[in-house]
Amino acid sequence: MTNTHLTEAPLTDAQLAAQPAAYWTGMAYEALIAFTRARQAEHGFTQPQFWLLRNLSPNDLHPHGPGRTIAELHEAMSSYLRAEDDLEAEAGPLVERGWLTRDAEGRLSITERGESARVDLSRHSPAIREAIHEGIDDADYVTTLKVLRRMMRNVQA
């Protein structure tokens, strides 16, 4: 059975209510990440590369201080990195493009060209979001997130 088949199978509200949330949130996560990464790849960058630029930008997620080491970046991104994401390998092309520099201690810093690229790459985000949210009004989306947040609170120790 394909994933598309799972999402299009006619289920009653009672059947849906009996479905395991963890299964569907996992399926949704994988589908959304795959979609997002495919759209970003069409524009010539990877999601981890975009995260590197964001986490090194003083105008985005790193408003203070100098560059960061790969270990510091990994820690900063630990809640959303995937197991297969290799920040060292992802940084290489950004250094080659002149978007990042690496100092003698191995700290990565964003360059002016990198900041310009970050701003340019971020322009793709609204279209990706729009495609993901097609046919879903904001009220339903907010309700879904509230339900998921409540489920998370329900299972926290």
Side-chain angles (χ1 to χ4, degrees), residues 128-141:
I128 294 169
R129 182 191 186 283
E130 185 178 314
I132 291 170
H133 287 241
E134 183 180 345
I136 302 167
D137 68 32
D138 284 346
D140 287 342
Y141 180 71

Side-chain angles (χ1 to χ4, degrees), residues 87-140:
L87 294 182
E88 186 66 50
E90 296 288 350
L94 301 180
V95 171
E96 290 172 12
R97 292 178 190 163
W99 296 359
L100 299 180
T101 60
R102 187 185 310 264
D103 69 16
E105 289 81 38
R107 298 178 79 77
L108 293 166
S109 296
I110 194 167
T111 65
E112 285 184 31
R113 287 177 57 199
E115 180 62 19
S116 178
R118 182 194 65 80
V119 170
D120 186 52
L121 297 177
S122 70
R123 291 187 180 121
H124 299 293
S125 297
I128 294 169
R129 182 191 186 283
E130 185 178 314
I132 291 170
H133 287 241
E134 183 180 345
I136 302 167
D137 68 32
D138 284 346
D140 287 342

Side-chain angles (χ1 to χ4, degrees), residues 28-156:
Y29 171 78
E30 292 299 330
L32 294 169
I33 291 294
F35 178 84
T36 299
R37 288 183 175 209
R39 298 299 79 73
Q40 290 172 328
E42 289 171 0
H43 296 289
F45 66 101
T46 68
Q47 190 171 48
Q49 288 171 341
F50 185 53
W51 290 338
L52 283 166
L53 294 172
R54 293 195 65 203
N55 277 274
L56 291 167
S57 173
N59 300 309
D60 199 344
L61 299 175
H62 190 52
H64 313 325
R68 292 175 162 174
T69 64
I70 291 293
E72 291 167 336
L73 287 159
H74 196 278
E75 182 164 334
M77 297 183 224
S78 64
S79 67
Y80 48 90
L81 280 176
R82 293 174 57 94
E84 68 269 19
D85 293 340
D86 181 344
L87 294 182
E88 186 66 50
E90 296 288 350
L94 301 180
V95 171
E96 290 172 12
R97 292 178 190 163
W99 296 359
L100 299 180
T101 60
R102 187 185 310 264
D103 69 16
E105 289 81 38
R107 298 178 79 77
L108 293 166
S109 296
I110 194 167
T111 65
E112 285 184 31
R113 287 177 57 199
E115 180 62 19
S116 178
R118 182 194 65 80
V119 170
D120 186 52
L121 297 177
S122 70
R123 291 187 180 121
H124 299 293
S125 297
I128 294 169
R129 182 191 186 283
E130 185 178 314
I132 291 170
H133 287 241
E134 183 180 345
I136 302 167
D137 68 32
D138 284 346
D140 287 342
Y141 180 71
V142 168
T143 298
T144 300
L145 293 184
K146 286 180 178 180
V147 168
L148 290 172
R149 291 178 69 193
R150 177 57 192 248
M151 286 180 170
M152 292 165 56
R153 283 193 309 274
N154 287 349
V155 300
Q156 289 174 344

